[in-house]
Amino acid sequence: MQFSTQICLFLLIISQSFGYFNQVEDNDCFCQLHGRIDDCSCSIDTVDYYNNVKIYPRLRSLLNKDYFRFYKVNLKRDCPFWADDSRCAIRYCHVETCQEDLIPSGLKGQAKQPAEKYKDEELNCKDDYNAELGYLNTTISKRAREEFAIWTTYDNAQENFCLIDENDSDAEYVDLLLNPERYTGYKGFSAHRIWNSIYMENCFKPRNSFHTYIQSETLNHMCLEKRAFYRAISGLHSSINIHLSAKYLLSDKSELGIDNKGKWGPNIDEFIRRFSSETTNGEGPNWLKNLYFIYLLELRALAKASPYLAREEYYTGNEGEDWDTKLAVKDLLGIIKSFPEHFDETNMFIGGEPAKKLKEEFKHHFRNISVIMDCVGCDKCKLWGKLQVQGLGTALKILFSGMFDENVPELYINSKNKRDFQLERTEIVALVNSFGRLSTSIYELDEFRHILR
């Protein structure tokens, strides 16, 4: 405690000396960012070490692989809630879609994945002979099979926490490495309306709460499930704000002045404005804590789905890279599973019919948020908003759909025995990239901490 006070006083002296921020006090963001994470069993220091030393370096390498860098998304959907023709203020928010010849053949469906060979064999109809019953005609018409596929797709969609637009006619592949998440100048009424709609209309709120966000002292008046929903959304919001502050447009020209790609880097004033106690009515440090909450939630989802993810082929058509990707995923999953204090989702949605009703309401609210992403007026913001919301929705599906049991992996490995737990490729890409964004945020928090010191 004495050491923490000394750090706070030191930050105060340094900030006043160099003019970073003249209103830093003993209770500012980093000085409160310690101790146990709310509704979890582990501490912030534990997550910092585990992420920055073990997880972040592996994710940074993995997300450069073709399987995870190409994301198929529809950025042309109209906003169903309001008319909005706003656009971001600078040219850097344009999204570069992929040229057809740059997309790996395996992602375009030009070559079959290994698993598809066996699926095709299962669909070939055969007549089985039984000595007592005679011939049993197992033929199923092509039309019937198509209808079964539609039914299965519909059933699986009921377990989704957000909408998937990979199969939309307007969906296109985007190279995420060519379109990094960073500050675009998208702000003002349009951007505020997005977050106001999310917080005011889709987050669970305590009675007589009229703030856009929920004040931390009132959160404990809500049940665990509703608190978790708010903390996840707030943590996602914090993560996005950290990215914008860490990759801020510092100059409209590159450092060498030989092109117009701009110079990007950390903006200390922007970070402090978004998270200081002074500018956030004391809530900034709590918003940063919520980042750790959503990190643990998605970390747990990856750990729970690790048997499923470990058997994926991560197929792109490039045999050498696909093999490397699969090994890298298994290595990352091993590190994730070894984390000592995972989030415990088994305490949520228990209690019979009321819990079932609450889960459906939970899912409905989150689906609304996924649709609100189509109302974002900046293409690059929309891209990363849709990806990170889908990643969080995939994590919620893994944790709460009821289709997945990590202790009985054969239930989904042998597809003949039950209705599969399945993840679309875009769900896997979104989940890993979304977790990568959270991991990067925690890493960048440490960078801001060093800069302020």
Side-chain angles (χ1 to χ4, degrees):
M1 197 68 182
Q2 181 179 1
F3 176 76
S4 178
T5 303
Q6 290 172 346
I7 290 295
C8 294
L9 291 174
F10 179 70
L11 286 175
L12 176 61
I13 295 170
I14 292 298
S15 61
Q16 289 178 338
S17 300
F18 293 94
Y20 285 136
F21 192 64
N22 292 325
Q23 296 176 321
V24 177
E25 294 185 351
D26 289 2
N27 64 346
D28 217 315
C29 44
F30 284 123
C31 298
Q32 293 188 38
L33 195 60
H34 60 83
R36 191 177 68 85
I37 301 167
D38 295 321
D39 290 323
C40 300
S41 60
C42 68
S43 70
I44 285 173
D45 288 343
T46 300
V47 173
D48 279 341
Y49 170 78
Y50 217 84
N51 177 74
N52 296 346
V53 174
K54 297 187 176 184
I55 291 180
Y56 173 75
R58 287 174 168 84
L59 271 172
R60 187 176 180 181
S61 173
L62 179 64
L63 294 177
N64 281 289
K65 302 292 188 184
D66 282 353
Y67 186 89
F68 292 105
R69 68 182 286 185
F70 292 100
Y71 177 61
K72 196 171 186 182
V73 61
N74 181 3
L75 299 176
K76 299 177 182 178
R77 275 184 178 169
D78 293 329
C79 173
F81 303 117
W82 59 75
D84 188 6
D85 58 358
S86 61
R87 289 293 181 268
C88 51
I90 59 179
R91 64 182 182 274
Y92 297 105
C93 61
H94 173 70
V95 169
E96 298 182 30
T97 55
C98 298
Q99 298 179 11
E100 186 71 19
D101 58 339
L102 297 180
I103 303 171
S105 61
L107 302 186
K108 293 185 292 187
Q110 293 179 352
K112 288 188 176 182
Q113 299 190 32
E116 290 181 345
K117 172 184 175 183
Y118 303 107
K119 291 181 180 178
D120 289 346
E121 289 176 356
E122 290 175 6
L123 291 177
N124 291 332
C125 302
K126 298 179 180 179
D127 290 342
D128 294 335
Y129 180 76
N130 182 288
E132 296 180 3
L133 300 178
Y135 281 99
L136 178 64
N137 190 340
T138 60
T139 304
I140 301 176
S141 70
K142 180 178 179 181
R143 181 177 178 181
R145 292 202 303 270
E146 290 173 349
E147 290 179 350
F148 293 158
I150 293 173
W151 298 346
T152 301
T153 300
Y154 175 82
D155 288 341
N156 290 336
Q158 302 315 299
E159 302 295 340
N160 292 338
F161 280 75
C162 58
L163 303 179
I164 300 175
D165 53 21
E166 178 185 21
N167 296 319
D168 289 359
S169 59
D170 287 329
E172 296 179 279
Y173 277 104
V174 173
D175 186 340
L176 298 175
L177 298 185
L178 293 180
N179 297 277
E181 184 181 21
R182 57 192 181 187
Y183 179 80
T184 64
Y186 180 59
K187 56 185 177 180
F189 174 74
S190 177
H192 290 146
R193 180 161 57 175
I194 297 294
W195 287 111
N196 285 343
S197 298
I198 290 173
Y199 283 118
M200 297 296 289
E201 299 173 21
N202 291 286
C203 280
F204 299 93
K205 301 180 78 68
R207 292 181 180 178
N208 302 321
S209 175
F210 304 103
H211 291 80
T212 301
Y213 55 84
I214 301 175
Q215 294 176 302
S216 55
E217 65 265 19
T218 65
L219 267 177
N220 289 330
H221 299 163
M222 302 166 63
C223 67
L224 172 60
E225 292 82 357
K226 295 180 179 180
R227 291 200 307 271
F229 190 99
Y230 172 76
R231 287 194 167 115
I233 298 301
S234 173
L236 176 61
H237 193 183
S238 296
S239 180
I240 292 172
N241 282 337
I242 291 171
H243 303 152
L244 304 186
S245 301
K247 296 294 185 289
Y248 200 87
L249 182 61
L250 303 177
S251 172
D252 203 35
K253 294 184 178 180
S254 69
E255 195 165 9
L256 299 176
I258 58 176
D259 54 42
N260 293 316
K261 293 184 178 180
K263 177 184 177 183
W264 306 82
N267 185 322
I268 306 301
D269 291 334
E270 185 69 14
F271 174 80
I272 293 175
R273 182 184 70 81
R274 292 177 184 269
F275 294 108
S276 167
S277 295
E278 289 293 317
T279 58
T280 60
N281 196 28
E283 291 296 325
N286 296 313
W287 297 343
L288 291 176
K289 285 185 177 180
N290 291 336
L291 164 64
Y292 286 81
F293 177 86
I294 186 177
Y295 177 92
L296 289 174
L297 188 148
E298 292 196 12
L299 183 78
R300 169 58 186 150
L302 285 165
K304 186 173 183 178
S306 59
Y308 181 98
L309 296 173
R311 66 177 287 266
E312 282 294 301
E313 295 297 331
Y314 301 99
Y315 181 77
T316 67
N318 182 334
E319 184 176 354
E321 176 158 308
D322 294 349
W323 178 256
D324 289 342
T325 301
K326 188 166 186 174
L327 290 179
V329 169
K330 287 184 175 180
D331 176 55
L332 175 66
L333 293 174
I335 295 296
I336 288 174
K337 289 177 67 177
S338 69
F339 184 74
E341 298 172 286
H342 277 289
F343 176 79
D344 185 5
E345 78 281 4
T346 60
N347 293 323
M348 296 175 63
F349 302 114
I350 53 178
E353 194 62 31
K356 183 178 179 181
K357 183 178 179 181
L358 178 60
K359 184 191 288 188
E360 288 303 311
E361 192 177 359
F362 192 102
K363 188 184 301 181
H364 175 72
H365 280 299
F366 197 84
R367 282 179 176 172
N368 277 350
I369 292 174
S370 73
V371 176
I372 289 174
M373 291 299 103
D374 288 318
C375 301
V376 176
C378 161
D379 283 346
K380 190 164 289 184
C381 305
K382 181 186 294 187
L383 164 67
W384 286 101
K386 288 173 77 77
L387 181 144
Q388 290 173 85
V389 166
Q390 186 179 19
L392 176 55
T394 303
L396 297 175
K397 174 182 177 179
I398 292 169
L399 295 178
F400 304 121
S401 70
M403 295 174 64
F404 183 81
D405 187 347
E406 63 184 318
N407 297 315
V408 193
E410 66 272 12
L411 290 182
Y412 58 82
I413 289 176
N414 187 350
S415 60
K416 296 179 180 180
N417 287 343
K418 73 182 286 285
R419 174 181 160 200
D420 288 349
F421 170 84
Q422 292 184 347
L423 293 176
E424 301 288 342
R425 179 188 170 271
T426 51
E427 290 180 295
I428 297 174
V429 172
L431 174 61
V432 177
N433 271 282
S434 173
F435 184 64
R437 294 282 76 206
L438 300 176
S439 174
T440 300
S441 291
I442 290 176
Y443 182 85
E444 287 173 340
L445 263 185
D446 201 46
E447 294 293 301
F448 278 118
R449 186 183 288 112
H450 286 304
I451 292 173
L452 283 169
R453 283 175 181 170

